[in-house]
Each structure stands twice: as C-alpha cells, then as structure tokens.
C-alpha cells in the first residue's frame, strides 16, 4: 500500500457482539435492525434499555499541547515542511489552500454532525457523517487526520517528520485505525485531491526568454553569480499562471494593463514613465554607493523593513508563510474558535493561492516579461557596478529568477490584507507579526491596519532593489481584487 494513502485507504472491518453473535456494524436504524435480526431478535422484542445508546467512552486525554487550536498546529507543520522542502511561493500557497480548505470542509462536517448547523458555506462539500455518539476529542481528530493526510499526499518526502508531529499531537501512530478515517476523513481528503488532480501544477514546460532589451533574462553577472539562475530554463514556475485557480475563473481574470500602458518593449523603454521607474529603484534599492550611483536614498529603517519582509531563500517559510503566521497572531488575539479559525485560514489561503497564480500570469503570460532592475541598470549602461540590496546569507547579491512585473510579495500581501479586513469587518486592527528571514535585524513589527502591512510588504521589494515601484503598485491592486472575489464568492455566510 502506498505510504501516502495508508490511512485513508485502511478500511478495516469493525465488529460488535449482539447476544453472543458477531456481526458487521452498519450505519443507522436499518443497520441496527439487520444486526438484531441476525441475532434472532427484533427491535420490538427488546426492552427499552437495550435501545439506548451505548455508554460514551471515557475521553482519552491528548498529550500536553503547546498550541491549543488544531488549525494553528497544522499550519505550523506546513510552514516547517516548506522550510525543509524549499521551492517557490506558488506551490507553497497551493499546498496551504488545499490544506486549509480541506480542514474547513472537515470541520464544517463536524459542526453539521454534532452542533446541528454550519454558519458559512463549505468550500467543496460538508456532510453529516455517520455516528451514534461523539467520540473523545472528535473535533481534534477530524481536523488533524484530515490535515495529516493532505500534507502526506503533498509532501511524501516528509513522511518521517509528519509522522513525528502526528505522534506529538495525538500520542498515537498515524497508521492506527480510527473509524473517522472511513466516515469523514477519507471523503474529505479524496474530494480535495480529486478537485486538484490535473490542475496544471505539474507543468514542467521550459521557459525561453526573449533577447530584446527590457525582457527578462537570467541575471548572473561575474560579481553576483547565482547558480540557480544562469539559464532561461531555470526560470521559476513560468507556467504557474495557467494553473486552475481555487476561486478565480482564470489566472488572467484581473490582469492589470501592461506597465505604463505600453504594449511592446521598444515603446516601454522609450517612455518617460519607465525612465522614472528605473531612477527610483536605482536610488533606493542599491546595495551600496558606486561611482555612477554615489547617493543611496534608502534610510536605515527602510533597509531593516526590506529585510523583515524578504523570506526569499529556501529554509524560510516564504512570503505566504509569513502571512499565515500573521493570520495566527491576529486569530489568537481575537480568540477565534476552531470553526472560525478554519474559515479564516481557508479564505486567506485560497486568496493567496489564486494570488500566486494570477501574479505568475502577469509575469510570464502578458506581452511584457519585464526585466529586473539590475538588468535595466547594468545592461543599458547606466551603472555596470550597481547591485540590489538583496543577497544570500553567504553575501552574494541576487535577484529572483523570474520577471519583475508584477510583485509577488505585493500581490500576496494585498490578497491577505483584503481577506483579513473583510473577514473582521475592519481594516484598522492593530497587530504584531514576525519574520523568518535570518538576515533581518528586526524580528517583529507592529501595524495599525492590515493594509498598512500589505503596503509595506510591497514597498520592501523596491528597497531591496528587485522591483520597480509599479510592480508593487499593480500587485497591490491585483491582490485586493482577488481578495474581494474570494470573499464574496467562497465560504459565504449563511
């Protein structure tokens, strides 16, 4: 049996003893009648006490928990998996959406079964599953076993780690039998996997760069060699914009106009707006002064902020992970229930997954695959020594290996902020968030609104020298449009 299907496919037979005989346990009143008939007994012949529900098992105590809410716990597990796996923000945000939408549907099913109703629509489907009594820690088990199996299917190479976190949470082995795997967990996991099979996320088509000035190209120079970006074919997820969205009709649904409303590289480079964009990032995004660029206009605070939002290298939870962490901070502050957390994390994750798809559509599938500032400054002869502030932990200056326009950080940030302010009905909520970036001189930062954080996230990319201002501006608009669409069409209040 494949390792990543071991739990949901382990449909073992549970038996019960009735008046000395063993019979397969079925669901509902018909199943009870059938079992009793097999035992030579009818329902009407039984005294009333025999029809009462079996005594509720004594709750089995979970191990001591440092993270109370299961939604928070399994999102923390996801972020650690991302640190271990690496990869681009698009696949990470897809994984988060699959995880949290499946958790939400499973939690909604639990609410239907034992609380009698749900207050918002499921993402795919919720069901009132079979069962006579609520088992010990059933809500925790429904959420946790669903989350574990989704993550196991997405990251089979992390099986040992996932098993360890499961044991930490439950004190049992993930391969152990649980009837919930058959009644609700299996169906929830299967429907999410079925919904995402063939979504285009495995497209390995190779990117071929245009050689025209203004078009993106690998940006490895003798003094800033990035071994991961020396060839066109190393461009990161060039066809992610074609992935099937979670809520949008397509990745191009809210596609912004080409930068500066130009349609060709020649017109773009000849425009005054483009020249202003280059001048702006050249002044604030340089790693340090050069002979041709002696004045750096970035302040020490702006530099610290730039690093706070980076999370570019493998080993970090990447930009979507930072926003999931911020979601947890706000949810904890607002004392949300597990059901409320499930909905919030699902909405945020769906919006960020579609943001990752939509921004890749803009980067690669529009008439302009815009080159990075370092190419614009060096290859046009403005300053052959100019370098962006962004660098590896080893001190090598780099720039992300994909086109500049529009900014992924900005689009992710705005999609997150857009959902958060709509969910809470208020943008002006103060909160503090953290960073996973090892080069950041500050580890936490406080904000007075979600929009303030998103705008700072967007601007940080200009201060790092890897984006033009319009990359950030268009990303913010794109992200908020995605958030509005997600919030008004998915998981709506009933």
């Amino acid at each position: 049996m494949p390792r990543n299907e071991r739990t949901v496919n382990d449909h073992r037979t549970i038996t019960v003893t009735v008046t000395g005989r063993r019979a397969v346990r079925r669901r509902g009143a018909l199943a009870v009648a059938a079992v009793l008939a097999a035992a030579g007994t009818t329902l009407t012949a039984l005294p009333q006490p025999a029809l009462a529900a079996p005594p509720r098992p004594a709750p089995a105590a979970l191990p001591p928990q440092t993270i109370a809410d299961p939604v928070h716990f399994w999102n923390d597990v996801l972020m650690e998996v991302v640190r271990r796996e690496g990869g681009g923000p698009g696949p990470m945000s897809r994984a988060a959406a699959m995880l949290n939408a499946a958790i939400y549907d499973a939690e909604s099913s639990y609410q239907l079964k034992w609380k009698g109703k749900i207050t918002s629509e499921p993402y795919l489907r919720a069901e009132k599953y079979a069962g006579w009594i609520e088992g010990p820690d059933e809500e925790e088990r429904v959420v946790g076993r669903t989350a574990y199996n989704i993550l196991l299917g997405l990251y089979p190479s992390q099986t040992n780690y996932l098993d360890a976190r499961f044991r930490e949470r439950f004190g049992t082995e993930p391969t152990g039998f649980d009837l919930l795997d058959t009644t609700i967990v299996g169906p929830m996991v299967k429907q999410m996997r079925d919904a995402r099979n063939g979504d285009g996320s495995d497209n390995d088509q190779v990117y071929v760069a245009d050689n025209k000035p203004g078009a993106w190209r690998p940006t490895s120079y003798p003094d800033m060699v990035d071994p991961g970006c020396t060839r066109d074919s190393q461009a990161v997820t060039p066809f992610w914009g074609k992935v099937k969205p979670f809520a949008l009709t397509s990745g191009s649904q809210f596609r912004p106009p080409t930068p500066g409303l130009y349609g060709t590289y020649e017109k773009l480079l000849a425009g005054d707006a483009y020249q202003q964009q280059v001048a702006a990032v050249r002044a604030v995004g340089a790693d340090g002064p050069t002979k041709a660029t002696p004045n750096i206009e970035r302040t020490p605070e702006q530099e610290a902020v730039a690093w706070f939002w980076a999370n570019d290298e493998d080993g970090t939870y990447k930009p979507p992970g930072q926003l999931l962490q911020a979601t947890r901070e706000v949810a904890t502050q607002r004392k949300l229930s597990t059901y409320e957390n499930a909905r919030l994390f699902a909405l945020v994750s769906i919006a960020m997954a579609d943001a990752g798809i939509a921004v890749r559509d803009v980067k690669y599938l529009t008439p302009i695959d815009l080159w990075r500032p370092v190419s614009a400054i060096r290859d046009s002869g403005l300053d052959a020594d100019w370098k962006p502030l962004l660098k590896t932990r080893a001190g090598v200056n780099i720039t992300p290996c994909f086109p500049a326009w529009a900014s992924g950080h900005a689009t992710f940030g705005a999609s997150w902020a857009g959902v958060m302010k709509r969910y809470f009905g208020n943008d002006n909520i103060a909160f503090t968030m953290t960073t996973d970036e090892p080069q950041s001189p500050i580890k936490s930062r406080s904000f007075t609104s979600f929009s303030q954080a998103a705008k700072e996230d967007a601007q940080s990319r200009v201060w790092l020298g890897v984006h033009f201002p319009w990359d950030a501006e268009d990303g913010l608009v794109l992200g908020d449009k995605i958030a509005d669409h997600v919030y008004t069409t998915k998981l709506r209040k009933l």
Side-chain angles (χ1 to χ4, degrees):
M1 182 178 299
R3 178 77 164 175
N4 65 349
E5 296 180 357
R6 62 192 183 193
T7 302
V8 295
N9 291 336
D10 191 10
H11 302 306
R12 306 177 192 177
T13 300
I14 299 298
T15 60
V16 292
T17 301
V18 182
T19 60
R21 293 190 181 185
R22 295 172 63 81
V24 176
R25 183 163 79 188
R26 304 175 190 172
R27 304 185 186 102
L30 291 176
V32 173
V35 170
L36 295 174
T41 310
T42 65
L43 284 170
T44 55
L46 286 172
Q48 186 63 31
L51 285 174
R56 180 170 181 160
L62 292 172
Q65 304 294 323
T66 57
I67 301 173
D69 193 280
V71 177
H72 294 177
F73 177 86
W74 290 103
N75 274 275
D76 279 5
V77 172
L78 169 66
M79 286 188 280
E80 179 57 29
V81 167
V82 170
R83 293 183 187 101
R84 293 164 177 250
E85 286 277 311
M92 187 272 175
S93 60
R94 173 182 180 268
M98 289 181 65
L99 171 70
N100 285 304
I103 285 176
Y104 171 72
D105 282 354
E107 170 66 18
S108 297
S109 298
Y110 168 82
Q111 294 289 327
L112 271 177
K113 177 61 182 175
W114 299 115
K115 308 305 176 185
K117 67 176 183 178
I118 54 176
T119 57
S120 52
E121 298 172 337
Y123 175 64
L124 294 174
R125 175 181 56 89
E127 62 180 60
K128 195 173 183 180
Y129 55 94
W132 289 324
I133 60 171
E134 182 179 350
D137 301 309
E138 186 157 322
E139 183 178 26
E140 177 81 39
R141 287 156 52 215
V142 167
V143 170
R145 297 184 80 89
T146 298
Y148 168 84
N149 280 283
I150 289 291
L151 292 174
L152 191 67
L154 288 167
Y155 300 104
S157 64
Q158 297 297 322
T159 296
N160 290 339
Y161 171 72
L162 293 171
D163 286 359
R165 297 308 300 271
F166 186 97
R167 286 191 291 269
E168 173 191 338
R169 191 70 178 177
F170 291 104
T172 59
E173 292 295 326
T175 51
F177 177 75
D178 191 319
L179 186 60
L180 291 173
D181 289 343
T182 300
T183 58
I184 191 60
V185 172
M188 292 296 103
V189 173
K190 183 179 186 300
Q191 73 175 6
M192 179 53 69
R193 289 177 178 171
D194 289 347
R196 300 312 302 179
N197 283 341
D199 65 359
S201 58
D202 58 353
N203 187 337
D204 59 359
Q205 188 176 348
V206 174
Y207 178 79
V208 179
D210 195 323
N211 290 323
K212 293 181 178 179
W216 181 84
R217 71 281 312 277
T219 48
S220 284
Y221 299 96
D223 56 345
M224 47 179 295
V225 176
D226 179 0
C229 195
T230 60
R231 303 185 306 276
D232 294 359
S233 60
Q234 291 175 305
V236 178
T237 55
F239 296 97
W240 197 261
K242 294 184 177 182
V243 171
K244 174 186 173 182
F246 285 77
L248 302 185
T249 58
S250 70
S252 62
Q253 183 175 350
F254 297 116
R255 181 188 286 178
T258 303
L261 303 179
Y262 299 105
T264 67
Y265 292 110
E266 292 79 9
K267 291 181 180 179
L268 172 71
L269 269 60
D272 290 340
Y274 169 77
Q275 303 299 330
Q276 293 168 6
Q277 294 285 312
V278 174
V281 68
R282 180 181 177 187
V284 301
D287 185 30
T290 67
K291 184 176 181 180
T293 311
N295 298 317
I296 306 300
E297 298 177 8
R298 181 183 59 243
T299 68
E301 181 183 8
Q302 289 170 338
E303 184 166 331
V305 167
W307 281 113
F308 176 83
W309 289 101
N311 299 298
D312 280 290
E313 286 198 86
D314 288 346
T316 69
Y317 48 27
K318 299 302 175 80
Q322 185 173 26
L323 296 167
L324 286 175
Q325 178 64 31
T327 306
R328 176 183 164 185
E329 298 297 332
V330 176
T332 301
Q333 173 185 309
R334 309 290 289 189
K335 295 181 171 57
L336 299 190
S337 67
T338 296
Y339 184 32
E340 291 168 333
N341 275 322
R343 179 171 179 262
L344 175 60
F345 274 78
L347 285 167
V348 163
S349 298
I350 290 167
M352 289 199 295
D354 281 3
I357 294 167
V359 79
R360 276 312 199 263
D361 168 82
V362 175
K363 287 179 180 294
Y364 287 108
L365 304 178
T366 55
I368 300 292
D369 293 0
L370 187 63
W371 59 6
R372 290 282 175 171
V374 66
S375 299
I377 295 167
R378 285 194 170 201
D379 292 10
S380 61
L382 290 174
D383 186 347
D385 298 317
W386 191 93
K387 299 177 186 178
L389 174 62
L390 183 65
K391 57 176 73 72
T392 67
R393 277 165 267 186
V396 178
N397 298 84
I398 58 170
T399 196
C401 200
F402 42 86
W405 179 73
S407 165
H409 276 68
T411 309
F412 283 124
S415 67
W416 170 82
V419 167
M420 295 292 282
K421 67 185 181 184
R422 288 170 174 85
Y423 181 94
F424 290 106
N426 186 2
D427 187 25
N428 298 317
I429 292 177
F431 66 99
T432 298
M433 60 185 295
T434 60
T435 183
D436 213 23
E437 172 56 59
Q439 298 184 76
S440 176
I442 52 177
K443 298 306 178 186
S444 66
R445 192 157 175 81
S446 296
F447 301 93
T448 58
S449 71
F450 302 123
S451 295
Q452 180 194 21
K455 291 174 183 176
E456 186 178 275
D457 188 3
Q459 185 62 35
S460 73
R461 307 304 286 174
V462 183
W463 295 330
L464 277 176
V466 295
H467 275 291
F468 303 99
W470 59 23
D471 302 341
E473 294 159 6
D474 285 354
L476 287 171
V477 173
L478 175 60
D480 191 64
K481 288 182 177 179
I482 293 168
D484 183 68
H485 180 82
V486 169
Y487 195 81
T488 56
T489 63
K490 298 298 179 183
L491 283 57
R492 292 173 293 189
K493 287 285 189 178
L494 295 173

